[in-house]
Amino acid sequence: MKKKRAAKIVATAGLTWSVVMSMVLIFLPVYSGTTINSSGEQVTAMRATLIQVNGWWVLFLLAIPVLLTLAAALPIIRNPNLWGVRRAVVWIGATILLIFVVLAGFSIGFFYLPAALAVIAAAILAEIKTLL
């Protein structure tokens, strides 16, 4: 029974990480730059968020890992006894999230690697049968 509780905690942690990372990427400046004039003096320093540089469409991109984590974690959080369709939803969601992390790795993907690993660990913990 302790493994099932651990699965819930790890799935919740993964979901929390995913939401927090999206909020961080929305509100904190991730771009910076400076302008230097011909005499070599720094004229201006610039800091900007993802939305300021790329536009509002990045909210859609930041929602993808949150929704994938939610799809994989919610069945475990609600009831860690996985069977049938619930098992498939968890594993498919976790796999697609991991693929997203790899494909978007050079931009935002690796921010979500802990969430993907947490959901996979929670799925494994939910699958383990109590031996004693």
Side-chain angles (χ1 to χ4, degrees):
M1 206 58 171
K2 290 185 180 187
K3 287 180 179 63
K4 303 297 183 185
R5 180 169 161 75
K8 283 184 174 187
I9 291 170
V10 173
T12 303
L15 182 58
T16 303
W17 181 271
S18 186
V19 170
V20 168
M21 282 300 104
S22 286
M23 293 295 113
V24 164
L25 290 170
I26 288 170
F27 294 112
L28 291 183
V30 292
Y31 291 99
S32 64
T34 57
T35 309
I36 299 175
N37 64 14
S38 61
S39 64
E41 298 173 1
Q42 178 180 341
V43 177
T44 58
M46 186 256 324
R47 295 179 58 93
T49 65
L50 280 172
I51 294 173
Q52 290 170 327
V53 172
N54 299 304
W56 289 99
W57 70 273
V58 298
L59 293 177
F60 170 74
L61 291 178
L62 295 175
I64 292 171
V66 173
L67 293 174
L68 289 171
T69 308
L70 182 66
L74 193 60
I76 296 172
I77 293 169
R78 293 188 69 207
N79 181 5
N81 296 319
L82 298 179
W83 49 269
V85 174
R86 291 165 43 88
R87 175 183 286 161
V89 167
V90 168
W91 283 108
I92 290 170
T95 302
I96 295 172
L97 179 59
L98 195 57
I99 291 169
F100 174 87
V101 166
V102 171
L103 292 178
F106 290 109
S107 58
I108 64 169
F110 287 116
F111 287 102
Y112 297 98
L113 182 61
L117 296 177
V119 170
I120 290 169
I124 292 170
L125 284 170
E127 293 279 348
I128 294 174
K129 305 292 186 237
T130 305
L131 298 175
L132 299 175

